[in-house]
Amino acid sequence: MIVFTKAQKKHIDEIAEIEKECFLTPWPKSSFEKDICKNKFAVYIVAVDDKTGKVVGYGGMWHVVNEGHITNIAVSEKYRRQGIGAGIIDGFEKICEENEMIGMTLEVRRGNQKAMGLYRKKGFKISGIRPEYYNDTKEDAIIMWKYFIPEELIDNNL
């Protein structure tokens, strides 16, 4: 069974390993140390295999004013397609609701159709593009949002 919990300092090494496994240009371990140990606006959730005690996925989100900005979600390849990414998003949604945030946003590589499929399934909608956002490949980032307020209150013309 997979258990979702708030990340702690003891999880950082495993988070950094999953980051290296999953991303072309991984964040350095020091970024996770800073976010998890010092950044009061960051929250990380880890997915732990309760049989092994091993971290098999994680996600990070920053609380920016009244929004949740998902910085990253990653699941170890062997544990994919088991609902772990969705569980992490569910955890972020609960945190957003508890903190009365208006919604969550994220950027995803244009070519990462699997991730975009998950985000759509969880209620995110495409709201824009950041051309050549990723330095390593010059790939566009697709901006996605999931709002918790009525759609008529969102002014997309701003």
Side-chain angles (χ1 to χ4, degrees), residues 55-116:
V55 174
V56 298
Y58 76 92
M61 183 177 73
W62 295 334
H63 184 165
V64 181
V65 188
N66 63 349
E67 304 165 358
H69 181 90
I70 296 175
T71 57
N72 39 23
I73 295 176
V75 177
S76 187
E77 189 172 353
K78 165 177 161 178
Y79 286 86
R80 291 183 188 159
R81 314 288 304 161
Q82 296 180 34
I84 294 171
I88 291 167
I89 292 170
D90 290 343
F92 287 149
E93 187 168 339
K94 182 177 179 193
I95 291 164
C96 287
E97 289 171 355
E98 288 169 356
N99 288 281
E100 299 179 351
M101 295 184 201
I102 64 165
M104 296 185 291
T105 186
L106 55 82
E107 292 99 6
V108 60
R109 289 178 188 263
R110 182 186 290 274
N112 193 344
Q113 294 299 313
K114 287 181 182 178
M116 280 199 279

Side-chain angles (χ1 to χ4, degrees), residues 23-78:
F23 295 108
L24 189 60
T25 307
W27 284 15
K29 180 179 166 185
S30 60
S31 293
F32 296 109
E33 290 170 334
K34 181 180 174 190
D35 264 3
I36 292 169
C37 300
K38 297 178 183 169
N39 184 349
K40 68 180 182 175
F41 299 107
V43 62
Y44 278 72
I45 294 173
V46 289
V48 178
D49 182 331
D50 72 342
K51 291 177 188 159
T52 64
K54 181 179 175 167
V55 174
V56 298
Y58 76 92
M61 183 177 73
W62 295 334
H63 184 165
V64 181
V65 188
N66 63 349
E67 304 165 358
H69 181 90
I70 296 175
T71 57
N72 39 23
I73 295 176
V75 177
S76 187
E77 189 172 353
K78 165 177 161 178

